[in-house]
Amino acid sequence: MKLISWNVNGLRAVLKKDFAASFAALDADVFCVQETKCQPGEADFAPEGYASYFYSAEKKGYSGTACWSRVAPLSVNCGIGVEEHSHEGRAITLEFENFYLVNVYAPNAQEGLARIDYRLRWEDDLRAYLLALDAQKPVVLCGDLNVAHNEIDLKNPGPNRGSAGFSDPERAKMTELLAAGFADTFREKYPDLTGAYSWWSYRFNARKNNAGWRIDYFLVSRRVMDKVKTAAIHPEVFGSDHCPVELDIDL
């Protein structure tokens, strides 16, 4: 099954930037997006052969996740089962016969780590939710996790140490999640590959200079890592400040 994940930084905006063509070219069985910034019905996109699932934030023009699947899920669940995290449209779970697919847009810790306490509660609650699913069947987690785990995962680790997305507490939570039984598919496939990023600031010609961060992931239950055929990043696909990431897994 081929899975794609992409933070589109506004679904209505990216639809004006050849999103439909990119969607078709990537040819995913399930296509997950984050930061839709819209309510259901506000974006005109209904690809043939796919069913759509949206989870929008209560605040208009903010956050949100969505999935298009040409494989009918057994069930669809919005949120991670904690009321505090049920207002910003940050997680959709599609249950398939042999695995759960969880599409996530993690909260940003914000400048000055203003939201770090909430972010860390989210991390603990997400991990508990994933482990509960994993006890039933394997889990594939995708999305913008808003953290560069290690120094290899961003161009300029030194100046960014301690900033949102590269703070010690956020990185430690990613380490804790992986230690709980999950694998970072791209880094497992390419442990020493540098210059592989999925997000670039719009400032300072960052994308042109490949001064980026790898903050978009596919994680899987470690016991099915051997089922992963391809883990890829698609920096050639434009339309957002992020690019799509891919997982091809035989489940």
Side-chain angles (χ1 to χ4, degrees), residues 3-6 8 11 19 23 28-36 38 45-47 49-56 64-71 73 75-79 89-96 99-105 140-143 218:
L3 311 173
I4 292 288
S5 174
W6 192 7
V8 294
L11 182 56
F19 176 74
F23 183 100
D29 294 302
V30 187
F31 200 114
C32 299
V33 299
Q34 305 86 41
E35 208 171 357
T36 56
C38 67
F45 184 65
Y50 289 83
S52 61
Y53 308 94
F54 278 76
Y55 186 32
S56 299
T65 46
C67 304
W68 291 270
S69 180
R70 57 187 176 198
V71 181
S75 67
V76 179
N77 180 63
C78 292
R90 292 196 176 274
I92 301 178
T93 300
L94 304 186
E95 179 187 2
F96 296 103
F99 70 103
Y100 290 101
L101 174 62
V102 184
N103 174 23
V104 159
Y105 177 40
V140 175
L141 171 70
C142 72
F218 272 101

Side-chain angles (χ1 to χ4, degrees), residues 105-152:
Y105 177 40
N108 192 303
Q110 300 182 350
E111 188 172 352
L113 302 183
R115 212 184 186 196
I116 189 66
D117 291 343
Y118 174 71
R119 169 63 186 263
L120 298 181
R121 292 196 301 275
W122 158 270
E123 293 291 343
D124 289 339
D125 292 338
L126 176 64
R127 187 175 64 257
Y129 174 73
L130 296 173
L131 287 172
L133 294 180
D134 187 54
Q136 302 174 55
K137 61 180 78 173
V139 172
V140 175
L141 171 70
C142 72
D144 176 0
L145 302 189
N146 256 320
V147 61
H149 186 212
N150 292 311
E151 291 191 354
I152 194 174

Side-chain angles (χ1 to χ4, degrees), residues 148 153-155 160 163-166 197-200 211-215:
D153 296 314
L154 71 168
K155 177 70 171 181
N160 286 295
S163 62
F166 198 58
Y197 309 125
S198 64
W199 173 80
W200 303 262
W213 299 46
R214 189 175 72 92
I215 59 176

